[in-house]
C-alpha cells in the first residue's frame, strides 16, 4: 500500500482548520406499518459547527413535502408519514429510506438504509384438518398462511398456548412453514389444536382440528422431533450442503439443501480524517468482510464517487485521489453492502492553505535542479540547498505535472530525510513531457520555488514486452482462471506479473501482483463480462499490453424471484398471472423460461413451464368460488431460481349475474393503469360486427373514448371440424424437461385470430398406457418433471369454443442423462471356499440409474465411522455385478459400500454391509526335541528373486501396523542363513519376550499397509513377500539354547506334516501373486521321508 508523507505548518494567527465533528445520534430503523396508519422514522445528527440540516431520501431520491402533503419533516429531523397508502399496484410509502445530514459549505453524510414494509392482510393457504395417527407415529397439523410481512404462528392445545421455544428433546415442534409436527405420538397428545397467526396488520385464528391417537445438553447439531435438524449458534462456518436421508427396507431417498449463512458487512479498517495540500495524492482506507463478500462504494457529500483517472478504488475498497484540488474537500463515506445488510464509515478531507509568512523568514529557491536519471517510468532529480535557508531545512517538496492532458493537476511528493538532495518520481508514463520544480521547507513553511524544468520520459524500451498466449476460462459463476506465457522480449529477468481485470459494464478495475504464470480470480459477479490484461514486470517497471481479453463468468440460477407479480380474475374459471423478470443484476444468465406453481387451497400444487418471452399466463378450467395460490420462479440453463412469495386470488361463484351462452355475447377485456383486467359479457347477435367505445370518467367529466371492433361467431361454427396442430416437434432441454412446439394451420395466414384457442399437450412414456395433460394458449410448451434418460411421446390438440380437433401426430424425445439418484441394491458378501482371505461381492443395479451404468466404485474399511475418503476404494469398470476382493485379514470384520456411476457422475452410496472373514489355520513347523527346556523364537525368511508386484494398483488407503522384521534370511540363490542384527534387550518382558514356547506363540498380524512396510503380507505371521527384489517365506521356528535352527524334523511323520504345510503355503502364494505356478525351494527335490535337518550355527 503506498503512503504519502505530508508536512504541515501553522504560523502566526493563521491556525490550521480543525476537523468537523458530524455524526448521527439517531438513525432510522427498519419499520413495519399498516395501511392507513402513521409512519415515523427518526433521525438526529450533531456537529460542533452548528445544527445540521436534515433531509430524506426514498429509494435514493430526495423527498419533498411539497409533492406529497402526507409527509412532514418534524423539527427534530424525523420523517412523519400520515395515512399510509398501500394497494396491490400502488405502494408509494414502501421502500428504503435514508436521512441526509448537511452542513452548509462543508458537506453532508447519509444514514443507514431503513426498510419500510406495509403489512398486508393474512390469507390462509392451507387450513388445519383433523388427523389420526397410530401410537408412536408422527402427526402433522398444517397451518400455512401468507402475508406481508410473514406472520408469527403459534399453536394452542385445548385452548392453552404451546411453548414457542425450541427444545431439542421435545416431540412437539412448530416448523418454519407454521405447521405443527408431533413425533412419536402418545395418548396425552390426543386433543384439539388450532393455530393463531398475526402480523402488524391483522390476525387470524385457524379452525379447530383434532388429533386422534389410535390404540439436555445443548449441542451444535441436534434433531428436533427426530427428523428436523437444528443448528445452534450459527456461524459462517456452518455454510454448506446438508442432506436428509430417509430409508426403509426397499430403498433410500435423500434431499439436499444449501445453507448459506449471511454475514452483514464488518469493517476491518476504517477511513480516517485527513489533512492534505492541493496537488498531493491521498488514499483513504476501507477494508470490509462479510458473506457474501460485500460490495464497496464511496460517497462524497451524499453523492456517489465515480471512478476516473483521479478517483480510483484500489485494493478492493480503498479510495485513492490523485492530484487533490480544492473541490475535493468534504465528507467521504465508505458504504459496504451485501444481502445481509449494509454498513458505512465516514471521514472528512480538509485541504490546507499553504502558509505564506513574510519572505524574510522563508528559504530561497533550491539551486541547480537537474535530472540524474530519466527512464520511461521514472525520473530521478537532484538539487543544491537554497542559498538562504533562513533556518533549518526540514524537507523538500517536488511538484510535477504532465503536459497535454485535459485536467491540469500538479502533484507533489516529499523527501523522507531533510539531508537528502535527490528524489525519484515514479509511476510516470513513457514518452510524456513533465514539468518539475522543487520547494524547500523550514519551520516557517514552504519557501520560493525553483525554476521549472521540462523533461521527456524515455520510450518503453527496457520494460518487458506483452505476455504471450493469454488464456482465460470461466471456472465457475464467480471465478475466472487465467494463464499466460512469458513475453518474448523480457528486457531482463521477470520479477512478477500484474493482472488487471475490469468489469466492462461499470468500468470497475482490480489488480493483483502474481509471481507465477496463472491466477484464479475469485469473488466475481455471476454471468458478467470482464476485460483481462496482464503486464510483465521487471526491475524497470511494468511492461506493455497489446490487447485485452474479454471473458464472461459462467451463468447460474437466478438469485432473485420475478418481480411485480399480479393476479387478475378474468372469468369465474380463469385467473391471469403476470410478472416482470428478476432484476438484471440477479438474473445470472439468460432467462430460458419461467415456472409457475399453482395450487388450490387444501390441495397439492402443480407446475407450469412458460417460455422466456411470455410474461403472463392464463390459467383456465379452475373451480368457481375457490381460492388459488401462485408463485413464479425464473429459470436459466442452470436451473430454477428462488420462487416468489405465494400470491392468492379467489374465483367468483358466477360471471356477472348469471350464465350466458357466449356464442351470443361479447367478452371485452381492457387495461386500467396498464395492469388491471376487466371482463364484461353483453348480449349480441351471431355473425355480426360490432364497434365498442370505452370512456373513462372522473370528477371533472369524461375522457377521450377508445374504440375497438369485434365479430361474433356463427351459429354453424360447431359443425366444421378443426384441423389438428401440425409440425409437432419435441426437443429435450435438460434431464427432466422437454420443449414441445407446433403450428396451427386453422389460423388464416396474415390474420390475427379473434378468439382464444386452447392447446392441450399430452405426453407419456413409450411403454405407458396413460398420459398426462397440460393446457395453454401459445404454440409451445415446456414439459417439466420428467424422468432422466427416458423416451417420451408427445401430441397436441386444439380447442376453440366448443370445437376440438383430433390429436396430432406423435413426436418423440429422450431426456438427457443424469447421475444415478439411487444406490445399487442387494449388496451381498460371500466367502470363497478354501480361500479364507478372499471374498466375492455381488449387487444389483440401482433402481434409478438415469443412464447407462459405466462402472461402480467399491469402498471397504475396518472402521465404518471413518470418512468415506479414508476407505479403501476399488473402481469396477463396466456393468458387471460381481467383484472379488483378496488379501484380506483373517478373522476380521470389514464394512463394504458401493455406488454406481454413469457419464454424468456418481450416485449415492449404499448402506454399509458387515462381513467377518474366516479364522483360517496357522502354519506350524515341528522341531526336534532338545534337552534344554528354554527355547528362543526366530523369524526365518526363505527368499527367491521376483519382479515387483503391482496387483494392488487402484487401492488407495489403508490403516495398518508395523511388521516385526525377520531374525534370519534364507536366500534362495545362496541357501545360507544370514543373521540380521537386532537391538539387544537386557530384560525382555511381556508379550515381547522371546522366551516362549512355539505352541504358545501368537501369529504376527499381517494387516500392515503394503505401502508402509515395503513388502506384502501373505499370511498372518507366516509369509512375507518382498515388493522389490525377492520373494520370501517367513516362518516362526524354535531354536534351542544351543542356537541350532531345525527347519524340518528328521522324524518322518513330522517331516511330512511340515512339508505339507510348506506346500500349502507355496500354493497360496502362487495363487495370490500369480507370479509362478509353484514356489521353487531346493529342498523340494528331496524326498520328504529322507530329509535331514538343516543346521546353522549362529
Amino acid at each position: 500500500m503506498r503512503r504519502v508523507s505530508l508536512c504541515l505548518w501553522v504560523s502566526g494567527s493563521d491556525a490550521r482548520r480543525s476537523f468537523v465533528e458530524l455524526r448521527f445520534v439517531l438513525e432510522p430503523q427498519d419499520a413495519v406499518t399498516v395501511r392507513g396508519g402513521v409512519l415515523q422514522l427518526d433521525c438526529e445528527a450533531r456537529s460542533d459547527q452548528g445544527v445540521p440540516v436534515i433531509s430524506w431520501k426514498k429509494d435514493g431520491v430526495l423527498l419533498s413535502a411539497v409533492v406529497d402533503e402526507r409527509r412532514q419533516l418534524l423539527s427534530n429531523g424525523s420523517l412523519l408519514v400520515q395515512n399510509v397508502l398501500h394497494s396491490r399496484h400502488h405502494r408509494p410509502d414502501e421502500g428504503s429510506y435514508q436521512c441526509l445530514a448537511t452542513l452548509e459549505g462543508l458537506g453532508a453524510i447519509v444514514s443507514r438504509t431503513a426498510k419500510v414494509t406495509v403489512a398486508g392482510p393474512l390469507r390462509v393457504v392451507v387450513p388445519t384438518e383433523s388427523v389420526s395417527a397410530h401410537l408412536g407415529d408422527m402427526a402433522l397439523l398444517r397451518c400455512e398462511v401468507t402475508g406481508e410481512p410473514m406472520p408469527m404462528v403459534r399453536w394452542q392445545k385445548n385452548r392453552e398456548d404451546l411453548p414457542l421455544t425450541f427444545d431439542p428433546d421435545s416431540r412437539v415442534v412448530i416448523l418454519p412453514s407454521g405447521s405443527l409436527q408431533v413425533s412419536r405420538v402418545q395418548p396425552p397428545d390426543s386433543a384439539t389444536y388450532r393455530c393463531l397467526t398475526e402480523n402488524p396488520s391483522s390476525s387470524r385464528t385457524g379452525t379447530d382440528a383434532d388429533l386422534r391417537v389410535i390404540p439436555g445438553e445443548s449441542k451444535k447439531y441436534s434433531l428436533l422431533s427426530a427428523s428436523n435438524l437444528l443448528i445452534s449458534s450459527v456461524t459462517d462456518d456452518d455454510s454448506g450442503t446438508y442432506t436428509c436421508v430417509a430409508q426403509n427396507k426397499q430403498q433410500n431417498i435423500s434431499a439436499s439443501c444449501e445453507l448459506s449463512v449471511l454475514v452483514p458487512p464488518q469493517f476491518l479498517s476504517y477511513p480516517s480524517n485527513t489533512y492534505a495540500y492541493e496537488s498531493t495524492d491521498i488514499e483513504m482506507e476501507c477494508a470490509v468482510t462479510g458473506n457474501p463478500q460485500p460490495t464497496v462504494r464511496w460517497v462524497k457529500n451524499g453523492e456517489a464517487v465515480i471512478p476516473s483517472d483521479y478517483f480510483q478504488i484500489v485494493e478492493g475498497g480503498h479510495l485513492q485521489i490523485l492530484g487533490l484540488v480544492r473541490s475535493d474537500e468534504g465528507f467521504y463515506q465508505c458504504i459496504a453492502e451485501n444481502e445481509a445488510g449494509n454498513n458505512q464509515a465516514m471521514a472528512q478531507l480538509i485541504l490546507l492553505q499553504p502558509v505564506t509568512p513574510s519572505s524574510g523568514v522563508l528559504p530561497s529557491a533550491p539551486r541547480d535542479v537537474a535530472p540524474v536519471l530519466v527512464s520511461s517510468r521514472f525520473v530521478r532529480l537532484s538539487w543544491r540547498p537554497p542559498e538562504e535557508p533562513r533556518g533549518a531545512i526540514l524537507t523538500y517538496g517536488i511538484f510535477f505535472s504532465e503536459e497535454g492532458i485535459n485536467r491540469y493537476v500538479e502533484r507533489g511528493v516529499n523527501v523522507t530525510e531533510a539531508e537528502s538532495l535527490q528524489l525519484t518520481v515514479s509511476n510516470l508514463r513513457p514518452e510524456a513531457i513533465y514539468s518539475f520544480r522543487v520547494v524547500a521547507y523550514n519551520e516557517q513553511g514552504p519557501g520560493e520555488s525553483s525554476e521549472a524544468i521540462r523533461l521527456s520520459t524515455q520510450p518503453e524500451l527496457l520494460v518487458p514486452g506483452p505476455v504471450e498466449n493469454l488464456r482465460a476460462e470461466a471456472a465457475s459463476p464467480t471465478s475466472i482462471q487465467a494463464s499466460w506465457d512469458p513475453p518474448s522480449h523480457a528486457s531482463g529477468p521477470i520479477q512478477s506479473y500484474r493482472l488487471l481485470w475490469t468489469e466492462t459494464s461499470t468500468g470497475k478495475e482490480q489488480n493483483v501482483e502474481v509471481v507465477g504464470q496463472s491466477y484464479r480470480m475469485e469473488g466475481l459477479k455471476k454471468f458478467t463480462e470482464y476485460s483481462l490484461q496482464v503486464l510483465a514486470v521487471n526491475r524497470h517497471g511494468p511492461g506493455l499490453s497489446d490487447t485485452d481479453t474479454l471473458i464472461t463468468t459462467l451463468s447460474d440460477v437466478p438469485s432473485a424471484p420475478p418481480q411485480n407479480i399480479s393476479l387478475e380474475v378474468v372469468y369465474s374459471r380463469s385467473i391471469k398471472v403476470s410478472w416482470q423478470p428478476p432484476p438484471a443484476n440477479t438474473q445470472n444468465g439468460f432467462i430460458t423460461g419461467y415456472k409457475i406453481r399453482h395450487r388450490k387451497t387444501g390441495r397439492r400444487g402443480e407446475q407450469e413451464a412458460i417460455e422466456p418471452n411470455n410474461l403472463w399466463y392464463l390459467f383456465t378450467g379452475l373451480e368457481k368460488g375457490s381460492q388459488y395460490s401462485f408463485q413464479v420462479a425464473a429459470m436459466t440453463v442452470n436451473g430454477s431460481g428462488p420462487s416468489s412469495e405465494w400470491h392468492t386470488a379467489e374465483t367468483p361463484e358466477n360471471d356477472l349475474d348469471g350464465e350466458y351462452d357466449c356464442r351470443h355475447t361479447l367478452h371485452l377485456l381492457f387495461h386500467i393503469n396498464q395492469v388491471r383486467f376487466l371482463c364484461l359479457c353483453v348480449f349480441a347477435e351471431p355473425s355480426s360486427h360490432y364497434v365498442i367505445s370505452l370512456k373513462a370518467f372522473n370528477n371533472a367529466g369524461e375522457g377521450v373514448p377508445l374504440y375497438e371492433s369485434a365479430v361474433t361467431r356463427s351459429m354453424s361454427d360447431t359443425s366444421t371440424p378443426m384441423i389438428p396442430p401440425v409440425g409437432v416437434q419435441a426437443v429435450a432441454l435438460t434431464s427432466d424437461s422437454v420443449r414441445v412446439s407446433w403450428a396451427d394451420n386453422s389460423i388464416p395466414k396474415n390474420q390475427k385470430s379473434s378468439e382464444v384457442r386452447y392447446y392441450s399437450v399430452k405426453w407419456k412414456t413409450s411403454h405407458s398406457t396413460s398420459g398426462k395433460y397440460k393446457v395453454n394458449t401459445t404454440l409451445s410448451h415446456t414439459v417439466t418433471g420428467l424422468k432422466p434418460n427416458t423416451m417420451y411421446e408427445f401430441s397436441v390438440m386444439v380447442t376453440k369454443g366448443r370445437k376440438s380437433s383430433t390429436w396430432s401426430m406423435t413426436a418423440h424425445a429422450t431426456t438427457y442423462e443424469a447421475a444415478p439418484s439411487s444406490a445399487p441394491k442387494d449388496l451381498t458378501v460371500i466367502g470363497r471356499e478354501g480361500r479364507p482371505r478372499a471374498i466375492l461381492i455381488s449387487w444389483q443395479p440401482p433402481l434409478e440409474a438415469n443412464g447407462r451404468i459405466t462402472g461402480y466404485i467399491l469402498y471397504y474399511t475396518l472402521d465404518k465411522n471413518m470418512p468415506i475418503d479414508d476407505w479403501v476404494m476399488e473402481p469396477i469398470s463396466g456393468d458387471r455385478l460381481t467383484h472379488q476382493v483378496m488379501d484380506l485379514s483373517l478373522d476380521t470384520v470389514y464394512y463394504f459400500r458401493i455406488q454406481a456411476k454413469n457419464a454424468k457422475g456418481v450416485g449415492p452410496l449404499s448402506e454399509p454391509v458387515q462381513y467377518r472373514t474366516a479364522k483360517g489355520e496357522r502354519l506350524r513347523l515341528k522341531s526336534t526335541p532338545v534337552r534344554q527346556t528354554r527355547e528362543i523364537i526366530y523369524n526365518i525368511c526363505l527368499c527367491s528373486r521376483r519382479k515387483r508386484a503391482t496387483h494392488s494398483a487402484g487401492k488407495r488407503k489403508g490403516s495398518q501396523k508395523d511388521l516385526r522384521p525377520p531374525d534370519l534370511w534364507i536366500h534362495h540363490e545362496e541357501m545360507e542363513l544370514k543373521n540380521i542384527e537386532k537391538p539387544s534387550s537386557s530384560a525382555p518382558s511381556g508379550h515381547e519376550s522371546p522366551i516362549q514356547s512355539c505352541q504358545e506363540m501368537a501369529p504376527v498380524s499381517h494387516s500392515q499397509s503394503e505401502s508402509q512396510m515395503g513388502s506384502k503380507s501373505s499370511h498372518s505371521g507366516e509369509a512375507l513377500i518382498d515388493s522389490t527384489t525377492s520373494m520370501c517365506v517367513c516362518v516362526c521356528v524354535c531354536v534351542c539354547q544351543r542356537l541350532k535352527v531345525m527347519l524340518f524334523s528328521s522324524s518322518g511323520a513330522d517331516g511330512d506334516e511340515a512339508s505339507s504345510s510348506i506346500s500349502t503355503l507355496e500354493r497360496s502364494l502362487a495363487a495370490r501373486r500369480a507370479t509362478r505356478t509353484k514356489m521353487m525351494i531346493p529342498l523340494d527335490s528331496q524326498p520328504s521321508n529322507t530329509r535331514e535337518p538343516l543346521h546353522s550355527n549362529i
Side-chain angles (χ1 to χ4, degrees):
M1 181 184 301
R2 182 173 60 84
R3 300 289 183 183
V4 179
S5 300
L6 299 176
C7 294
L8 311 176
W9 291 265
V10 179
S11 176
S13 61
D14 190 3
R16 177 189 301 178
R17 291 165 52 197
S18 61
F19 289 111
V20 175
E21 180 187 6
L22 177 59
R23 61 185 178 89
F24 284 107
V25 178
L26 188 62
E27 296 187 77
Q29 303 297 316
D30 297 345
V32 178
T33 185
V34 296
R35 184 173 59 182
V38 177
L39 169 67
Q40 179 172 332
L41 297 174
D42 296 323
C43 180
E44 183 181 352
R46 290 181 183 174
S47 175
D48 56 0
Q49 297 294 321
V51 179
V53 178
I54 301 296
S55 56
W56 285 84
K57 288 184 177 183
K58 178 181 179 292
D59 298 329
V61 179
L62 281 172
L63 291 176
S64 173
V66 179
V67 178
D68 195 337
E69 296 179 351
R70 298 179 301 106
R71 298 179 178 139
Q72 299 179 20
L73 182 61
L74 303 182
S75 58
N76 61 357
S78 299
L79 176 67
L80 182 67
V81 182
Q82 298 178 335
N83 189 22
V84 173
L85 299 179
H86 187 79
S87 64
R88 180 179 299 176
H89 309 295
H90 185 55
R91 303 179 178 183
D93 298 327
E94 197 173 63
S96 300
Y97 288 80
Q98 287 178 296
C99 67
L100 186 71
T102 305
L103 284 177
E104 188 67 29
L106 292 177
I109 60 175
V110 293
S111 70
R112 69 176 298 274
T113 301
K115 182 180 180 181
V116 174
T117 304
V118 180
L122 298 178
R123 296 185 178 90
V124 177
V125 178
V126 178
T128 307
E129 297 179 354
S130 298
V131 296
S132 300
H134 288 278
L135 191 67
D137 286 352
M138 184 193 72
L140 185 67
L141 297 169
R142 306 185 68 183
C143 177
E144 297 184 17
V145 295
T146 60
E148 294 179 358
M150 285 300 293
M152 183 185 72
V153 179
R154 56 190 178 92
W155 282 82
Q156 290 183 341
K157 176 183 178 182
N158 294 334
R159 295 294 192 272
E160 295 183 0
D161 290 340
L162 291 174
L164 294 177
T165 56
F166 287 112
D167 183 359
D169 299 325
S170 175
R171 296 183 299 103
V172 180
V173 62
I174 300 176
L175 301 181
S177 64
S179 299
L180 182 70
Q181 177 178 305
V182 183
S183 300
R184 303 187 303 278
V185 170
Q186 302 297 322
D189 298 327
S190 181
T192 300
Y193 297 83
R194 69 174 182 177
C195 67
L196 298 91
T197 62
E198 61 181 351
N199 69 3
S201 175
S202 61
S203 62
R204 294 287 294 269
T205 300
T207 58
D208 290 345
D210 295 328
L211 171 58
R212 295 180 291 272
V213 180
I214 305 175
E217 176 185 359
S218 180
K219 298 178 181 179
K220 179 69 175 179
Y221 301 98
S222 56
L223 289 179
L224 288 178
S225 300
S227 61
N228 303 290
L229 179 64
L230 174 65
I231 306 176
S232 304
S233 303
V234 175
T235 65
D236 188 25
D237 295 334
D238 296 320
S239 298
T241 301
Y242 292 80
T243 303
C244 174
V245 181
Q247 61 184 0
N248 58 19
K249 294 182 179 180
Q250 301 299 323
Q251 63 177 18
N252 58 59
I253 59 175
S254 63
S256 299
C257 67
E258 189 76 18
L259 173 61
S260 179
V261 179
L262 302 182
V263 180
Q266 299 174 353
F267 284 97
L268 301 177
S269 62
Y270 296 83
S272 57
N273 294 332
T274 303
Y275 286 117
Y277 285 111
E278 287 189 77
S279 303
T280 58
D281 302 342
I282 66 166
E283 184 173 304
M284 290 186 171
E285 294 186 356
C286 182
V288 294
T289 182
N291 185 36
Q293 181 63 33
T295 60
V296 176
R297 58 188 178 90
W298 282 83
V299 173
K300 175 197 170 189
N301 295 332
E303 300 295 332
V305 174
I306 301 176
S308 63
D309 291 341
Y310 301 97
F311 288 87
Q312 300 176 3
I313 297 179
V314 298
E315 298 183 17
H318 303 334
L319 177 64
Q320 188 180 68
I321 307 176
L322 305 178
L324 288 171
V325 295
R326 180 60 55 182
S327 61
D328 293 333
E329 273 192 331
F331 293 99
Y332 288 82
Q333 289 176 275
C334 174
I335 300 178
E337 299 171 313
N338 64 6
E339 297 177 16
N342 60 79
N343 203 350
Q344 55 94 7
M346 183 268 290
Q348 185 182 7
L349 171 63
I350 294 178
L351 297 187
L352 299 175
Q353 291 285 355
V355 180
T356 56
S358 61
S359 59
V361 297
L362 297 177
S364 60
R367 297 172 293 169
D368 302 333
V369 178
V372 176
L373 179 63
V374 178
S375 180
S376 59
R377 297 281 180 172
F378 65 90
V379 170
R380 186 165 185 81
L381 300 175
S382 67
W383 57 90
R384 294 172 57 203
E387 186 175 358
E388 299 178 358
R390 298 187 176 98
I393 299 298
L394 301 180
T395 187
Y396 292 93
I398 292 83
F399 297 89
F400 63 98
S401 61
E402 181 182 355
E403 298 182 4
I405 58 175
N406 294 332
R407 172 180 169 177
Y408 180 81
V409 177
E410 188 176 46
R411 299 168 56 188
V413 291
N414 295 337
V415 297
T416 56
E417 297 180 0
E419 297 78 10
S420 176
L421 297 178
Q422 287 189 355
L423 181 69
T424 300
V425 181
S426 304
N427 297 322
L428 305 180
R429 296 196 310 116
E431 297 184 89
I433 299 176
Y434 288 88
S435 175
F436 298 89
R437 63 186 181 91
V438 182
V439 176
Y441 293 82
N442 63 11
E443 294 178 352
Q444 303 300 321
E448 298 179 16
S449 173
S450 68
E451 292 291 332
I453 61 172
R454 297 174 70 249
L455 297 174
S456 178
T457 53
Q458 297 293 329
E460 198 74 273
L461 298 178
L462 300 178
V463 296
V467 298
E468 298 185 350
N469 301 326
L470 176 58
R471 303 172 295 278
E473 180 181 3
S476 73
T478 58
S479 62
I480 293 176
Q481 180 72 37
S483 59
W484 56 88
D485 296 334
S488 56
H489 302 286
S491 300
I494 299 297
Q495 297 178 347
S496 64
Y497 294 91
R498 182 174 300 170
L499 173 61
L500 306 96
W501 62 94
T502 305
E503 187 179 333
T504 57
S505 59
T506 63
K508 181 179 178 181
E509 180 183 287
Q510 299 183 61
N511 64 82
V512 66
E513 294 289 332
V514 182
V515 177
Q517 294 175 211
S518 65
Y519 186 78
R520 187 184 183 101
M521 292 156 278
E522 301 282 359
L524 307 181
K525 293 183 179 180
K526 299 177 180 179
F527 199 66
T528 302
E529 185 181 62
Y530 287 87
S531 173
L532 271 61
Q533 191 179 46
V534 179
L535 306 176
V537 181
N538 62 11
R539 64 187 184 90
H540 301 291
L544 304 175
S545 176
D546 47 6
T547 58
D548 294 351
T549 299
L550 298 178
I551 182 69
T552 301
T553 51
L554 297 179
S555 61
D556 199 359
V557 298
S559 53
Q563 309 175 91
N564 303 330
I565 298 172
S566 63
L567 307 179
E568 299 296 336
V569 180
V570 181
Y571 303 106
S572 61
R573 294 179 178 272
S574 303
I575 295 178
K576 180 185 178 184
V577 184
S578 58
W579 62 89
Q580 291 297 319
N585 60 343
T586 64
Q587 294 182 10
N588 302 335
F590 295 111
I591 299 298
T592 58
Y594 297 92
K595 285 184 179 179
I596 307 179
R597 187 182 177 193
H598 62 99
R599 64 185 182 187
K600 182 185 175 185
T601 301
R603 295 186 181 177
R604 295 185 59 185
E606 297 183 0
Q607 189 170 273
E608 292 285 351
I610 311 300
E611 297 298 316
N613 55 342
N614 291 338
L615 298 178
W616 63 273
Y617 188 80
L618 182 65
F619 286 89
T620 60
L622 307 179
E623 297 182 13
K624 296 181 179 181
S626 301
Q627 191 178 65
Y628 289 87
S629 299
F630 304 84
Q631 63 177 186
V632 187
M635 296 187 297
T636 63
V637 294
N638 304 88
S640 302
S643 298
S644 66
E645 298 292 335
W646 285 102
H647 293 257
T648 305
E650 187 172 347
T651 55
E653 293 290 345
N654 295 296
D655 289 311
L656 298 181
D657 297 329
E659 296 289 341
Y660 305 106
D661 183 358
C662 285
R663 289 184 300 135
H664 304 285
T665 61
L666 288 175
H667 292 270
L668 306 184
L669 307 174
F670 55 89
H671 292 276
I672 295 178
N673 293 334
Q674 302 296 324
V675 177
R676 297 186 62 82
F677 248 80
L678 181 65
C679 304
L680 186 62
C681 188
V682 298
F683 288 101
E685 293 295 328
S687 302
S688 300
H689 184 273
Y690 289 86
V691 177
I692 303 101
S693 66
L694 176 67
K695 296 180 181 179
F697 294 84
N698 60 16
N699 295 332
E702 63 182 46
V704 179
L706 177 69
Y707 295 95
E708 187 61 58
S709 62
V711 179
T712 56
R713 289 175 288 192
S714 170
M715 292 288 292
S716 60
D717 277 353
T718 57
S719 61
T720 305
M722 296 194 68
I723 302 174
V726 297
V728 179
Q729 294 183 341
V731 179
L733 300 179
T734 63
S735 60
D736 65 347
S737 62
V738 172
R739 184 177 182 272
V740 185
S741 60
W742 59 88
D744 189 352
N745 285 348
S746 63
I747 301 178
K749 294 183 179 180
N750 302 324
Q751 180 177 339
K752 184 178 179 181
S753 175
S754 60
E755 295 179 327
V756 178
R757 295 167 180 254
Y758 298 98
Y759 299 95
S760 301
V761 181
K762 179 177 69 173
W763 69 92
K764 65 184 186 68
T765 59
S766 56
H767 56 272
S768 176
T769 56
S770 61
K772 294 184 178 181
Y773 304 84
K774 287 293 179 183
V775 179
N776 69 346
T777 57
T778 60
L779 295 178
S780 64
H781 178 71
T782 300
V783 181
T784 59
L786 305 179
K787 294 182 179 180
N789 195 43
T790 304
M791 176 179 286
Y792 288 86
E793 56 183 39
F794 303 85
S795 55
V796 187
M797 178 178 67
V798 61
T799 301
K800 184 180 71 171
R802 298 185 176 181
K803 297 186 298 180
S804 297
S805 70
T806 59
W807 289 103
S808 68
M809 297 184 66
T810 301
H812 294 82
T814 301
T815 53
Y816 293 146
E817 289 188 2
S821 53
S822 64
K825 304 183 303 177
D826 303 335
L827 181 63
T828 306
V829 183
I830 305 172
R832 302 299 302 273
E833 185 176 357
R835 304 180 67 181
R837 298 181 183 277
I839 53 100
L840 184 65
I841 300 178
S842 64
W843 61 91
Q844 291 299 317
L847 288 176
E848 299 172 356
N850 299 338
R852 187 179 70 84
I853 297 298
T854 59
Y856 296 89
I857 302 177
L858 176 68
Y859 297 86
Y860 60 94
T861 185
L862 301 178
D863 182 7
K864 67 176 181 180
N865 296 321
M866 292 175 60
I868 194 63
D869 290 341
D870 293 333
W871 290 39
V872 178
M873 180 190 75
E874 291 194 11
I876 304 168
S877 60
D879 56 356
R880 57 194 180 95
L881 302 177
T882 59
H883 181 69
Q884 182 174 256
V885 179
M886 305 176 66
D887 300 339
L888 300 179
S889 299
L890 296 178
D891 195 19
T892 304
V893 176
Y894 285 86
Y895 297 91
F896 298 87
R897 301 181 75 177
I898 194 169
Q899 64 183 163
K901 63 179 180 178
N902 59 18
K904 293 297 183 179
V906 296
L909 285 160
S910 67
E911 288 301 310
V913 173
Q914 175 181 333
Y915 181 80
R916 179 182 290 274
T917 55
K919 294 184 177 180
E921 296 182 357
R922 286 204 307 266
L923 174 64
R924 294 193 180 275
L925 298 180
K926 301 292 184 177
S927 63
T928 302
V930 293
R931 282 176 288 180
Q932 289 82 354
T933 58
R934 297 182 61 190
E935 298 171 328
I936 300 176
I937 302 170
Y938 281 85
N939 284 334
I940 301 180
C941 293
L942 291 81
C943 308
S944 62
R945 298 289 178 178
R946 63 183 298 272
K947 295 182 178 179
R948 180 184 300 268
T950 60
H951 79 289
S952 293
K955 294 187 179 180
R956 210 170 50 181
K957 292 195 176 186
S959 178
Q960 314 297 346
K961 300 178 179 178
D962 295 334
L963 185 67
R964 172 186 169 189
D967 299 278
L968 296 176
W969 292 89
I970 303 179
H971 286 271
H972 172 250
E973 291 87 345
E974 303 173 2
M975 281 306 299
E976 64 178 359
L977 299 183
K978 294 183 178 180
N979 183 21
I980 296 180
E981 295 184 1
K982 304 174 68 175
S984 60
S985 176
S986 59
S989 63
H991 66 280
E992 295 180 354
S993 176
I995 308 176
Q996 306 177 46
S997 67
C998 292
Q999 287 76 13
E1000 296 173 353
M1001 178 177 166
V1004 180
S1005 172
H1006 88 292
S1007 59
Q1008 287 81 351
S1009 171
E1010 295 170 358
S1011 61
Q1012 292 174 344
M1013 67 187 183
S1015 58
K1016 301 187 179 294
S1017 168
S1018 173
H1019 289 276
S1020 178
E1022 299 163 0
L1024 178 70
I1025 305 301
D1026 186 86
S1027 63
T1028 57
T1029 60
S1030 63
M1031 173 178 290
C1032 304
V1033 180
C1034 292
V1035 296
C1036 297
V1037 299
C1038 299
V1039 184
C1040 65
Q1041 206 166 21
R1042 293 183 180 179
L1043 303 181
K1044 291 189 176 182
V1045 179
M1046 311 292 290
L1047 275 185
F1048 302 101
S1049 172
S1050 58
S1051 169
D1054 292 343
D1056 292 340
E1057 182 179 351
S1059 177
S1060 175
S1061 299
I1062 291 295
S1063 300
T1064 302
L1065 179 60
E1066 293 168 3
R1067 289 193 299 270
S1068 176
L1069 286 170
R1072 290 178 57 235
R1073 302 303 177 188
T1075 56
R1076 58 183 71 180
T1077 59
K1078 185 176 180 181
M1079 185 77 170
M1080 299 303 294
I1081 300 179
L1083 297 178
D1084 289 346
S1085 59
Q1086 304 177 17
S1088 60
N1089 293 338
T1090 60
R1091 285 181 184 164
E1092 294 295 331
L1094 176 63
H1095 299 273
S1096 177
N1097 293 324
I1098 302 177

